[in-house]
Amino acid sequence: DAGVIQSPRHEVTEMGQEVTLRCKPISGHDYLFWYRQTMMRGLELLIYFNNNVPIDDSGMPEDRFSAKMPNASFSTLKIQPSEPRDSAVYFCASSFTLVETQYFGPGTRLLVL
Amino acid sequence: KNQVEQSPQSLIILEGKNCTLQCNYTVSPFSNLRWYKQDTGRGPVSLTIMTFSENTKSNGRYTATLDADTKQSSLHITASQLSDSASYICVVSLFGNEKLTFGTGTRLTIIP
């Protein structure tokens, strides 16, 4: 398996624009996680899905953020409108169960100007 | 409030030396504790996962220990190599909903 795949790897956009981040989890994994990492706050869990259903979105910062998982092999994290404080590295991870090892993707480095 | 604190924030050691990283947590009730290694510009990679009943677990030159009574964990790296230069993140999950609390990490630099 190629591991967790994320795209794009880098995104530079202007404030107010819509940003869509994409993730393909490892095949067979029932759990998918979206994280955000910044120097100030470290790694934060935004939302996770089980069998394509959002289970816990308490980490989503505000209504500008939304995540979907239309099928077992694809998820998106959307920011609309984007703001400079959204600049961070966004990671997607997947796992078989909630207590087993999570496998992280390479991340999307987002810069909002 | 559930917290995970790691020390030191950063550490520089010579190649070949051993080192120990610390993690103290207040998460309760506790389910499991994980150590991740994160190379610069890459996603975290799991090193170990320990439940409350385990007090030591090894992965090659990495050995994690856990004292659930004192809520402390350590990650010991033996015979360090240049490739060990990375950030090491301690993560603790809450029993029941498995909600994760992340430490801010220790930045380890190995110099030749």
Side-chain angles (χ1 to χ4, degrees), chain B residues 93-105:
Chain B
S93 68
L94 190 65
F95 182 81
N97 62 11
E98 300 299 327
K99 190 173 182 69
L100 300 178
T101 302
F102 293 83
T104 53

Side-chain angles (χ1 to χ4, degrees), chain A residues 6 8 41 62 73 91:
Chain A
Q6 291 186 247
R41 300 173 66 93
E62 49 198 271
S73 59
F91 289 104

